[in-house]
């Protein structure tokens, strides 16, 4: 398959897969949230692609809305002790934040690549 920057690859699909925005293959990250220097499959340089603070804003708003709603429902329905809230919500918020940050950051990078921003 020739390298074609104009290929119609969904930025949302590549963002969900955390893959290279050019071909939808390869890894975008070299660590948990660190963007790799370049694609291992096609060699696309990721140096010019930066999502900035945009993904964090989306994650805070979406995850905050969901978690506060669930915590309020749990409190009003079962009245658990505060220590149960801490044990339950801290890991869920931490895992949800990292998971959503990976996906949203990859999606915004893929959208930047597609629109040549």
């Amino acid at each position: 398959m020739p390298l074609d920057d104009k290929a119609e690859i969904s930025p949302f699909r590549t963002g969900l897969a955390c893959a290279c925005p050019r071909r939808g293959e390869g890894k975008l990250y070299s660590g948990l949230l660190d963007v790799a220097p370049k694609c291992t499959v096609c060699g696309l340089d990721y140096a010019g692609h930066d999502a900035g603070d945009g993904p964090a804003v989306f994650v805070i708003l979406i995850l905050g809305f969901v978690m506060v709603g669930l915590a309020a429902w749990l409190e009003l329905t079962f009245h658990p002790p505060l220590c149960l809230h801490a044990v339950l919500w801290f890991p869920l918020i931490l895992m949800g934040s990292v998971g959503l940050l990976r996906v949203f950051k990859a999606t915004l990078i893929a959208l930047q690549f597609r629109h040549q921003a």
Side-chain angles (χ1 to χ4, degrees):
M1 178 177 178
L3 294 178
D4 183 14
D5 288 348
K6 305 288 189 246
E8 290 298 321
I9 297 176
S10 170
F12 300 104
R13 191 184 81 202
T14 58
L16 192 58
C18 298
C20 173
R22 178 187 280 166
R23 295 182 56 184
E25 302 171 2
K27 295 182 179 181
L28 180 66
Y29 296 109
S30 62
L32 192 59
L33 289 170
D34 295 326
V35 178
K38 66 179 185 170
C39 178
T40 56
V41 175
C42 68
L44 175 66
D45 185 21
Y46 296 144
H49 302 285
D50 182 25
D53 292 334
V57 172
F58 289 121
V59 169
I60 288 169
L61 292 174
I62 293 169
L63 195 64
F65 178 77
V66 171
M67 291 298 167
V68 167
L70 289 173
W73 171 80
L74 182 70
E75 178 62 35
L76 295 173
T77 305
F78 299 107
H79 306 293
L82 288 177
C83 63
L84 180 64
H85 279 292
V87 168
L88 178 65
W89 300 117
F90 181 73
L92 285 175
I93 290 170
L94 189 63
M95 289 184 300
S97 297
V98 172
L100 284 177
L101 269 174
R102 284 180 59 89
V103 171
F104 277 79
K105 188 174 183 178
T107 303
L108 285 178
I109 289 173
L111 284 168
Q112 285 178 351
F113 177 79
R114 182 173 190 168
H115 298 289
Q116 300 167 351

